[in-house]
């Protein structure tokens, strides 16, 4: 019965631990290595205009919800300007839903004169996905809207749509044919009339939206930038339309359907990028600059915006000093698991249960070679004092107290002498756990008396070997990163420890000794 309970408990621990680890690594995007880097993008919009000495109000479309990026670190810079935000639909009208098409920043000032400069900056942090994410439209299906054509424009629109419809077989051929005529209006009189006031790409895209609504196809224009190493980010205009219960993006420059590559939607609809009242000569300059940051820092900053609850109950919510402390404390179970395996499966004997792990933790600060030397000096000198105290016939507790006092004096003396000799590493001997050293010296002395010097030296060597192996595991940056970022792996360690705890097979070293005994026999 106990065996069944143990198996169930181990299976539960492994499932929960590995499940949480997989979710954080492959869904939330926490990196598996400490050196992993991520590219983010710093985006800036510079709005400038000439104020006329009257009340000024300037608006700018800002970055909203993006399918593959999280917008963080948004800053709005304007000298003595008030700032408001407004939700806006794709047609430029105010909107009060929780999922607006656009979010507009509004700067206002009672009076301003001369050249004015306003800035909007933000960081785009990539969302993590182990599957390539297709472009997903974040809003509801728009209703067909009135294109507001005059009677003459309706005639031209009907003529243009009829001509395009006769030369196309489906929506995949209809839209390219329509955009071809609108991008080259001089070749078609109907397109030239409809675009008589605006003969640029933006005007062609907005007219295509009106014509598609006129034809019964939901559509709207999409405006944004392409993320690249080029600092100046020119606006690009795309067309999106709804067909067969899916949104489709259409590249008006190339005349093809497809998912935008490195394209970031800035705003949707026929609303302008920026407006100003009380000023003139409005201009907007968009720029984008790549930057490389730690993937771990990027994930933490992104989750602080998108899923703050996850971080509130994690080690990342602790003060920096506490985080640094736990980065060391969380390594102790790694050394303990290694110790359990080496003792119960391999058969290495050590002094004390966790003494090698604590010594290995000290080695992290002293470095391995210096740590071994300092540890050996303290043990040898302390053992000499302990053997002398044996002749005084002291009781156990006073004897341990004397050994502890001597160990402290030895550590202080080694620190002073090594510092005077120009070896500052010797000062780090103070990091050794003095109580553990005292108990170790006592146990070595007792074993020396009861089982002989050979057995005592064997356990000393075993303890040092385990301490060295534990130091190698506990000083590994990869292991330190995994344990701190994914503390749920301790459930896996607990399950493995429980499994080893019921191990009843031959220890490896005992098996080797048994075979050697049979050969001798």
């Amino acid at each position: 019965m106990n065996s069944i309970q143990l198996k169930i408990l181990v299976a539960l621990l492994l499932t929960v631990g590995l499940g949480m680890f997989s979710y954080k690594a492959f869904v939330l995007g926490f990196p598996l290595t400490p050196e992993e880097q991520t590219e983010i993008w710093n985006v800036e919009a510079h709005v400038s205009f000439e104020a006329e000495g009257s009340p000024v109000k300037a608006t700018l479309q800002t970055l909203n919800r993006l399918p593959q990026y999280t917008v963080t670190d948004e800053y709005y810079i304007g000298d003595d300007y008030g700032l408001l935000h407004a939700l806006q639909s794709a047609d430029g009208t105010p909107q009060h839903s929780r999922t607006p098409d656009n979010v507009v920043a509004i700067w206002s000032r009672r009076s301003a004169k001369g050249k004015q400069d306003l800035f909007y900056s933000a960081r785009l942090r990539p969302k993590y996905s182990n599957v390539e994410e297709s472009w997903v439209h974040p809003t509801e299906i728009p209703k067909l809207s009135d294109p507001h054509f005059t009677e003459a424009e309706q005639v031209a629109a009907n003529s243009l749509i009829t001509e395009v419809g006769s030369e196309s077989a489906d929506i995949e051929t209809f839209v390219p044919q329509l955009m071809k005529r609108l991008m080259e209006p001089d070749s078609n009189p109907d397109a030239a009339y409809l675009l008589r006031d605006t003969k640029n790409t933006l005007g062609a895209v907005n007219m295509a939206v009106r014509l598609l609504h006129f034809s019964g196809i939901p559509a709207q224009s999409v405006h944004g930038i392409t993320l690249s190493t080029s600092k100046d980010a020119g606006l690009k205009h795309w067309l999106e339309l709804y067909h067969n219960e899916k949104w489709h993006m259409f590249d008006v420059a190339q005349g093809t359907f497809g998912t935008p590559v490195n394209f970031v939607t800035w705003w949707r609809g026929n609303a302008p990028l920026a407006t100003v009242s009380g000023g003139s000569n409005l201009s907007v300059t968009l720029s984008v600059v790549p930057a490389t940051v730690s993937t771990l820092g990027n994930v933490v900053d992104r989750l602080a915006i998108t899923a703050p609850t996850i971080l509130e109950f994690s080690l990342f919510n602790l003060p920096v000093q506490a985080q640094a402390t736990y980065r060391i404390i969380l390594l102790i179970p790694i050394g303990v698991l290694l110790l359990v395996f080496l003792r119960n499966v391999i058969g290495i004997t050590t002094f004390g249960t966790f003494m090698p792990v604590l010594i290995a933790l000290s080695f992290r600060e002293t470095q391995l070679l210096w740590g071994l030397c300092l540890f050996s000096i303290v043990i040898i000198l302390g053992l000499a004092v302990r053997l002398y105290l044996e002749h005084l016939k002291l009781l156990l507790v006073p004897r341990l107290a004397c050994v502890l006092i001597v160990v402290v004096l030895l550590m202080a003396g080694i620190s002073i002498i090594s510092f005077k000799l120009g070896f500052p590493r010797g000062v780090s001997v103070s990091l050794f756990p003095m109580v553990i050293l005292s108990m170790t010296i006592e146990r070595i002395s007792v074993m020396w008396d009861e089982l002989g010097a050979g057995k005592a030296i064997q356990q000393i060597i075993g303890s040092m070997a385990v301490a060295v192996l534990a130091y190698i595991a506990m000083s590994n940056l990869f292991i330190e990163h995994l344990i701190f970022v994914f503390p749920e792996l301790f459930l896996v360690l607990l399950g493995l420890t429980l499994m080893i705890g019921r191990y009843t097979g031959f220890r490896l070293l005992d098996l080797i000794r048994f075979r050697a005994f049979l050969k001798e026999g």
Side-chain angles (χ1 to χ4, degrees):
M1 186 66 181
N2 290 335
S3 177
I4 296 176
Q5 291 180 3
L6 178 65
K7 291 178 180 178
I8 294 175
L9 179 58
V10 170
L12 181 62
L13 290 172
L14 294 179
T15 301
V16 174
L18 292 177
M20 294 176 64
F21 167 77
S22 300
Y23 175 76
K24 291 176 66 175
F26 303 114
V27 178
L28 297 181
F30 281 93
L32 298 177
T33 58
E35 300 86 5
E36 193 170 332
Q37 300 288 310
T38 295
E39 188 174 56
I40 65 173
W41 300 88
N42 297 315
V43 181
E44 182 181 272
H46 176 197
V47 181
S48 63
F49 57 90
E50 292 289 337
E52 301 170 348
S54 58
V56 176
K57 183 171 75 172
T59 68
L60 174 71
Q61 302 283 355
T62 62
L63 292 164
N64 192 10
R65 293 161 294 111
L66 306 177
Q68 294 182 344
Y69 293 92
T70 299
V71 182
T72 65
D73 305 300
E74 289 186 285
Y75 295 97
Y76 304 85
I77 304 171
D79 185 22
D80 295 331
Y81 277 83
L83 177 67
L84 295 173
H85 291 89
L87 308 182
Q88 191 180 76
S89 62
D91 59 5
T93 60
Q95 184 172 332
H96 303 287
S97 68
R98 294 184 180 180
T99 58
D101 293 301
N102 305 314
V103 177
V104 181
I106 303 174
W107 284 280
S108 59
R109 188 172 173 180
R110 174 61 63 184
S111 178
K113 189 173 183 179
K115 190 175 185 301
Q116 305 294 306
D117 293 291
L118 305 173
F119 294 88
Y120 164 71
S121 67
R123 280 187 170 180
L124 302 184
R125 301 181 182 274
K127 297 178 181 177
Y128 182 84
S129 176
N130 58 335
V131 179
E132 186 175 352
E133 190 173 340
S134 60
W135 197 91
V136 181
H137 195 283
T139 60
E140 298 178 354
I141 302 171
K143 298 179 181 179
L144 292 173
S145 59
D146 186 355
H148 300 292
F149 286 140
T150 63
E151 186 174 350
E153 289 175 337
Q154 284 189 5
V155 173
N158 270 319
S159 176
L160 180 59
I161 290 173
T162 301
E163 178 184 342
V164 172
S166 65
E167 298 180 7
S168 58
D170 50 24
I171 195 71
E172 285 78 13
T173 54
F174 177 83
V175 174
Q177 290 286 352
L178 177 62
M179 286 306 308
K180 180 179 179 181
R181 286 163 173 77
L182 293 176
M183 294 296 287
E184 301 174 0
D186 295 336
S187 62
N188 185 285
D190 296 318
Y193 177 72
L194 292 172
L195 294 173
R196 62 192 182 278
D197 297 326
T198 55
K199 292 186 178 181
N200 53 29
T201 302
L202 178 58
V205 173
N206 288 333
M207 181 55 66
V209 171
R210 296 172 66 187
L211 289 170
L212 289 172
H213 277 270
F214 188 68
S215 303
I217 302 174
Q220 62 184 8
S221 54
V222 177
H223 320 278
I225 58 175
T226 299
L227 300 179
S228 66
T229 55
S230 176
K231 183 177 180 180
D232 294 330
L235 275 177
K236 291 189 176 181
H237 310 285
W238 286 62
L239 177 68
E240 66 176 346
L241 54 98
Y242 190 82
H243 178 64
N244 290 338
E245 300 182 353
K246 288 173 58 179
W247 283 98
H248 302 271
M249 292 289 288
F250 183 81
D251 186 350
V252 298
Q254 301 295 328
T256 57
F257 284 95
T259 302
V261 178
N262 294 330
F263 178 80
V264 172
T265 301
W266 198 287
W267 84 102
R268 295 178 176 84
N270 56 7
L273 172 59
T275 63
V276 63
S277 63
S280 59
N281 298 327
L282 174 66
S283 67
V284 181
T285 303
L286 304 179
S287 59
V288 56
V289 178
T292 302
V293 297
S294 165
T295 299
L296 178 60
N298 177 62
V299 172
V300 171
D301 291 339
R302 173 167 54 81
L303 291 179
I305 301 295
T306 59
T309 305
I310 295 178
L311 292 182
E312 287 181 3
F313 297 94
S314 72
L315 293 173
F316 295 103
N317 195 42
L318 295 175
V320 175
Q321 186 176 3
Q323 290 186 37
T325 301
Y326 273 100
R327 280 185 176 274
I328 298 175
I329 293 176
L330 294 178
L331 291 172
I332 296 178
I334 299 295
V336 170
L337 177 62
L338 180 62
L339 173 66
V340 170
F341 177 79
L342 293 174
R343 286 182 59 133
N344 287 45
V345 179
I346 304 300
I348 297 178
T349 56
T350 63
F351 282 111
T353 306
F354 301 117
M355 184 274 286
V357 177
L358 297 178
I359 295 300
L361 195 63
S362 302
F363 286 169
R364 279 175 49 90
E365 304 300 329
T366 63
Q367 298 303 314
L368 183 59
L369 184 59
W370 273 98
L372 287 173
C373 294
L374 295 173
F375 179 79
S376 300
I377 292 173
V378 173
I379 291 294
I380 292 173
L381 295 178
L383 187 58
V385 173
R386 168 61 181 80
L387 293 176
Y388 171 75
L389 294 176
E390 182 72 21
H391 298 289
L392 301 181
K393 305 298 181 181
L394 300 178
L395 297 177
L396 176 62
V397 175
R399 187 171 66 237
L400 284 175
C402 291
V403 172
L404 177 61
I405 294 172
V406 170
V407 167
V408 173
L409 292 175
L410 287 173
M411 292 168 63
I414 291 173
S415 296
I416 294 172
I417 294 173
S418 60
F419 184 76
K420 285 293 185 180
L421 294 176
F423 301 111
R425 280 287 182 186
V427 179
S428 58
V429 71
S430 60
L431 298 171
F432 284 128
M434 59 191 70
V435 175
I436 298 297
L437 288 177
S438 303
M439 295 298 298
T440 300
I441 292 171
E442 176 67 21
R443 295 194 62 177
I444 293 174
S445 177
V446 172
M447 181 169 288
W448 194 298
D449 292 338
E450 295 179 354
L451 301 178
K455 194 68 175 179
I457 293 174
Q458 178 183 340
Q459 288 209 13
I460 292 174
I461 295 174
S463 299
M464 296 306 296
V466 172
V468 170
L469 293 176
Y471 162 78
I472 293 173
M474 296 167 65
S475 61
N476 186 281
L477 294 179
F478 176 72
I479 294 177
E480 178 182 336
H481 170 82
L482 279 184
I483 292 300
F484 184 79
V485 177
F486 305 99
E488 57 275 3
L489 289 177
F490 280 117
L491 298 178
V492 178
L493 297 182
L494 181 58
L496 295 176
T497 304
L498 291 174
M499 291 172 59
I500 297 175
R502 290 296 295 268
Y503 177 75
T504 57
F506 277 109
R507 296 178 181 178
L508 182 60
L509 293 181
D510 293 340
L511 184 60
I512 293 174
R513 296 188 188 102
F514 181 69
R515 288 182 176 179
F517 173 76
L518 291 179
K519 289 181 179 180
E520 291 177 1

